[in-house]
Amino acid sequence: MRDKQQSPECFLTNVQAVLPDRVQSGACVRIAGDRIAGIREMEAIPGAKIAGGAVAVDFAGDYMVPGLIDLHVHGCGGADTMDGTPAALAHMAKALLRQGTTAFLATTMTAGADRLREVLGVGADWPETGMQAEFLGFHLEGPCISSEYRGAQKPVAESAITNIIALYDRRVKIVTLAPELADADACLAAAIKKGIIVAAGHSGASFDEMRQAIDAGVRHLTHAFNAMPGIHHRKPGLLTAALLDPRVSIELIADGVHIHPAVLELALRLKGQAQVVLVSDGTRAVGMPDGDYDLGGQQVSLSQGRLTLPDGTIAGSAAPLLAGVRFMVRAVGRGLPEAVRMASLNPARVLGADSDHGSLRAGALANFLRLSPELELKEVWMRGRRVIDAASAARERNE
């Protein structure tokens, strides 16, 4: 259960509110309890109303953006989903919040069924507070994936694939699988029956195999362009099928390592912003110094923002989701509303959680970030309460 403490009525003034389609400058945002009560122009708010016992916070022209939602994140701040303990998950959630992520799917690595059962057990009745990102469930990345395109995933025995179906329950929100594998049809059907979103990924599926999988219920593509064949003019493959089909949303990792900016732009022009979800694919190395770290039982090395296995294979990311938003604005040239939407409203819609999450609108949870004009994180608000103040935290570290 979350904290029962409710915030008093609060007015945020001189806000640049980042909406899905525009920036509303000079806005006043009213917060009532844990919800956004309304967004209006400053001139429309009587001064006496703000002074009448309510809390007023001057944003001084800073941006207010909805809290970011990461559908694909393995770890953060030294902790990882596969650590499989409540303490590790709580540490990860707190570290994600400090990076501007307010909700997430804890993403697993390929492992045997017994190990995954232990990890999923941590999510049962897991207590949440306003001082950590909201845990929305799990994203099972594997083990039904291609050995050829496993990337930084470890190979597992075939029995792990067949046994994974027994783990599908309400805590699992997304399952990534390779549609071309013999066991994929059974995994796909079982996931759909449980209401789980099925994603294709770590796959060498052909164009026709992917089209058949989409017809069978695949609705998402895990980290597009990575751990899959590129587009060939005679072998279009699963990536082309996903880009062309409006039923499928795609993940993009915009960390400056996984995908060139020109390819990010290409994907957006082909797919359209509404069907693109920015993810971090973050690991325990997010927010940590250069060095060696564990990823799913394998040693990975972080150097100058690049995380790799000993053979040089890219092994997840060391950048948080907010860095991806900045990259889309600075390197790709997309507008801030579009970049933010791909990391907030779009993932919320994939999960069917957009009534509470993903946008600044009346009735939504008051989970949002305060960003400087340079898009640096200044504050994090959860359910109407300011829980992270970057300036105060920096002063405390320096004292």
Side-chain angles (χ1 to χ4, degrees):
M1 297 291 291
R2 282 193 173 271
D3 291 344
K4 295 296 184 181
Q5 179 182 352
Q6 293 292 309
S7 305
E9 187 175 43
C10 178
F11 287 88
L12 310 179
T13 62
N14 300 311
V15 172
Q16 290 200 75
V18 180
L19 308 179
D21 59 348
R22 69 189 189 279
V23 176
Q24 183 173 335
S25 298
C28 179
V29 181
R30 183 166 70 92
I31 308 297
D34 63 355
R35 302 273 168 173
I36 297 173
I39 302 176
R40 300 176 67 182
E41 298 294 334
M42 280 293 296
E43 293 80 3
I45 306 295
K49 174 67 175 176
I50 296 179
V55 176
V57 178
D58 185 357
F59 261 47
D62 285 338
Y63 291 114
M64 176 181 178
V65 307
L68 306 186
I69 303 169
D70 202 340
L71 301 187
H72 190 147
V73 57
H74 296 276
C76 186
D80 188 282
T81 302
M82 295 303 292
D83 291 342
T85 67
L89 190 59
H91 183 96
M92 176 178 164
K94 291 175 183 177
L96 284 169
L97 194 67
R98 291 194 296 269
Q99 298 288 348
T101 297
T102 60
F104 70 104
L105 293 185
T107 305
T108 63
M109 296 286 289
T110 289
D114 289 343
R115 177 60 182 148
L116 288 174
R117 185 176 293 105
E118 293 175 2
V119 172
L120 297 182
V122 174
D125 301 318
W126 183 63
E128 298 183 39
T129 72
M131 295 302 295
Q132 57 195 23
E134 185 172 351
F135 167 68
L136 298 178
F138 289 98
H139 177 164
L140 287 186
E141 191 176 12
C144 185
I145 60 173
S146 165
S147 59
E148 183 179 358
Y149 293 99
R150 69 177 186 271
Q153 301 272 2
K154 291 177 67 175
V156 298
E158 186 174 340
S159 60
I161 298 176
T162 56
N163 292 336
I164 195 68
I165 293 174
L167 302 182
Y168 294 167
D169 64 17
R170 62 180 177 82
R171 295 165 294 181
V172 178
K173 305 302 180 183
I174 298 178
V175 169
T176 291
L177 53 78
E180 73 275 18
L181 297 189
D183 294 308
D185 288 347
C187 291
L188 191 155
I192 291 174
K193 186 176 181 180
K194 294 281 189 177
I196 298 170
I197 299 159
V198 181
H202 288 277
S203 167
S206 69
F207 180 79
D208 289 337
E209 287 171 331
M210 182 59 173
R211 289 182 66 184
Q212 292 169 6
I214 295 170
D215 288 341
V218 167
R219 290 295 178 266
H220 195 64
L221 184 68
T222 294
H223 47 49
F225 297 96
N226 296 109
M228 63 186 62
I231 296 174
H232 187 280
H233 57 288
R234 287 189 296 273
K235 297 179 180 179
L238 79 163
L239 181 54
T240 302
L243 288 169
L244 292 176
D245 198 306
R247 293 172 291 179
V248 179
S249 54
I250 67 169
E251 296 179 358
L252 293 177
I253 307 171
D255 62 352
V257 175
H258 281 78
I259 308 174
H260 190 279
V263 178
L264 291 170
E265 176 65 20
L266 176 66
L268 281 167
R269 293 192 191 187
L270 288 170
K271 196 65 183 171
Q273 63 164 320
Q275 290 292 88
V276 172
V277 174
L278 294 184
V279 297
S280 71
D281 198 16
T283 64
R284 71 173 77 244
V286 174
M288 302 295 285
D290 285 359
D292 294 335
Y293 297 93
D294 174 82
L295 178 65
Q298 303 173 99
Q299 179 178 300
V300 295
S301 298
L302 174 62
S303 177
Q304 299 181 328
R306 188 181 183 92
L307 194 67
T308 59
L309 294 172
D311 65 1
T313 300
I314 296 174
S317 178
L321 187 54
L322 180 56
V325 172
R326 294 193 200 103
F327 192 82
M328 294 301 295
V329 173
R330 297 171 180 171
V332 183
R334 290 286 169 156
L336 183 59
E338 181 180 4
V340 168
R341 172 181 173 154
M342 291 186 285
S344 55
L345 181 58
N346 290 0
R349 284 181 171 170
V350 167
L351 294 179
D354 50 307
S355 61
D356 285 334
H357 299 274
S359 61
L360 304 178
R361 59 169 185 80
L365 286 172
N367 297 344
F368 54 86
L369 314 180
R370 179 177 179 177
L371 304 182
S372 73
E374 296 75 32
L375 307 184
E376 297 303 321
L377 183 64
K378 296 180 74 171
E379 296 174 358
V380 180
W381 292 61
M382 291 290 287
R383 298 186 178 239
R385 300 171 58 206
R386 180 166 45 197
V387 295
I388 301 288
D389 182 337
S392 297
R395 286 194 298 269
E396 291 175 2
R397 288 194 298 268
N398 293 330
E399 289 178 354

